[in-house]
Amino acid sequence: MFHIKKMSLDDLGFAVRITDLMSWNLVEEDFKFMMHLEPDGCFVLLSNSERIGIATTVSFGEVGWVGNVIVSENRRKQGAGSLLVRHCVKYLANKNVKTIGLYSYIDKAPFYRRLGFKYDSEFSVLKGKSFSSPSRAGVREATKEDMQEVIDYDQTCFGASRRKLLEPILLNPHNLCYVSTEDDQILGYIVAKVYEEMAEIGPSVCRQGRNGIAINLLKAVLNRLQGFEVSMCVPKKESAILNMLKGASFSENFHVARMFFGRPVVKDCIYMAESLERG
Ligand SMILES: CC(C)(COP(=O)(O)OP(=O)(O)OC[C@H]1O[C@@H](n2cnc3c(N)ncnc32)[C@H](O)[C@@H]1OP(=O)(O)O)[C@@H](O)C(=O)NCCC(=O)NCCS
């Protein structure tokens, strides 16, 4: 009864409408970007010819990510969502992906567990208005010349090169990237994707256990984004970052569980996720 096809440009209106039901705030450009990153890995679920769900994937060598999993409300609990997720896993496995990550709503974790994903850790999705926050020395805005080093540095933490994702984000002149350096070596970086009135901070990757660097980078970006509505996804265990944000105007919107299918390779040096759908 259910079948799955590759997402095409004709499906973008549906993808936006169905995700609007969850207030994920995605626009057609977001799905175009996903299709640019993974042309064969964005899917639409159909019942006969009726579109009833979507899911997206992205592969970075041996690490992949699943996101935007959603089924029309009146078609749930009939096995459609499981079919969709299994299809994503199979697609990524065929691309030689060994580790698949996703961020799950807490109440959906049993659904993913049943499909072979294992709980890893929790992340808090925060929203608030950016505030004035001067940062200390050692942090500077990245230049084009830093891009290669940022991408290489990210790989040491993420476990695979996210070049195809990071390059377009870093090259977009609206976005911000700051690096923290010591003796000319990168100790961490942070990126903010800047839209008209809002911004999404992430990824931020720093040396494990050096959350002072992550805080300093975050301050530099918040300072630049004064007046913007900002969102970010921070590990729950990073209490110093969470307390700093909550002490200002930020509050937790919801929290999610990071889960992995296969061996978890991502190290404990992700201080902010890039996005829920891409890791
Ligand atoms: C998460 C979501 C995609 C699942 O889709 P779905 O089509 O309901 O998924 P399934 O039918 O395969 O599985 C859902 C449950 O129904 C059960 N089920 C499947 N077929 C069934 C049947 N014929 N009769 C009764 N129960 C059934 C499954 O065992 C599963 O139980 P579990 O959640 O306890 O593991 C759907 O709930 C959804 O779109 N939610 C809103 C968006 C969202 O939260 N997405 C996830 C982001 S992390």
Side-chain angles (χ1 to χ4, degrees), residues 22 24 69-71 75-82 103-105 108 110-112 114:
M22 295 296 292
W24 287 348
V69 178
I70 184 163
V71 170
R75 299 306 188 107
R76 292 180 194 161
K77 304 256 178 210
Q78 298 166 34
S82 304
Y103 290 105
S104 165
Y105 289 131
K108 293 293 180 296
F111 165 75
Y112 290 111
R114 199 171 42 75

Side-chain angles (χ1 to χ4, degrees), residues 31-45:
F31 290 104
K32 277 190 194 155
F33 186 46
M34 290 306 303
M35 285 166 62
H36 165 77
L37 292 172
E38 201 68 35
D40 297 327
C42 301
F43 304 110
V44 177
L45 175 78

Side-chain angles (χ1 to χ4, degrees), residues 77-255:
K77 304 256 178 210
Q78 298 166 34
S82 304
L83 187 77
L84 202 47
V85 175
R86 282 201 188 98
H87 189 83
C88 292
V89 169
K90 201 167 157 192
Y91 166 81
L92 289 170
N94 280 339
K95 290 204 78 176
N96 216 23
V97 168
K98 304 275 191 278
T99 303
I100 304 171
L102 57 77
Y103 290 105
S104 165
Y105 289 131
I106 300 302
D107 66 326
K108 293 293 180 296
F111 165 75
Y112 290 111
R113 202 173 294 132
R114 199 171 42 75
L115 296 168
F117 286 81
K118 292 200 176 85
Y119 172 94
D120 173 72
S121 55
E122 285 183 23
F123 281 63
S124 186
V125 177
L126 297 146
K127 284 205 165 117
K129 224 179 179 96
S130 198
F131 51 91
S132 161
S133 53
S135 59
R136 292 196 311 267
V139 168
R140 63 169 171 82
E141 193 159 10
T143 64
K144 238 178 169 171
E145 285 65 48
D146 294 312
M147 193 163 73
Q148 183 61 47
E149 209 184 329
V150 166
I151 291 169
D152 291 346
Y153 183 79
D154 182 81
Q155 181 172 357
T156 62
C157 176
F158 191 76
S161 174
R162 293 199 279 181
R163 174 182 298 282
K164 72 176 177 184
L165 170 64
L166 294 177
E167 213 166 58
I169 294 175
L170 295 170
L171 288 173
N172 181 332
H174 298 293
N175 297 340
L176 300 174
C177 178
Y178 279 78
V179 289
S180 173
T181 56
E182 200 173 80
D183 301 329
D184 271 351
Q185 280 220 314
I186 289 188
L187 301 180
Y189 79 91
I190 193 166
V191 168
K193 286 153 282 176
V194 185
Y195 308 101
E196 262 169 38
E197 282 159 9
M198 57 91 63
E200 189 182 9
I201 300 184
S204 178
V205 173
C206 302
R207 284 245 173 105
Q208 207 163 329
R210 298 281 300 269
N211 63 9
I213 298 173
I215 290 175
N216 219 16
L217 285 163
L218 178 58
K219 283 181 173 174
V221 164
L222 287 171
N223 211 34
R224 281 285 299 278
L225 292 172
Q226 278 177 65
F228 278 72
E229 285 296 333
V230 171
S231 68
M232 66 193 103
C233 179
V234 182
K236 273 256 182 205
K237 68 177 179 56
E238 293 302 336
S239 48
I241 299 178
L242 295 174
N243 290 340
M244 178 191 109
L245 291 165
K246 287 179 182 169
S249 64
F250 281 79
S251 58
E252 183 179 276
N253 212 16
F254 57 92
H255 65 284

Side-chain angles (χ1 to χ4, degrees), residues 9 16 18 28 50 54 56 88 92 119 121 147 160 209 212 247 265:
L9 292 178
V16 171
I18 193 169
E28 292 198 3
E50 185 196 353
I54 61 161
T56 59
C88 292
L92 289 170
Y119 172 94
S121 55
M147 193 163 73
V265 285

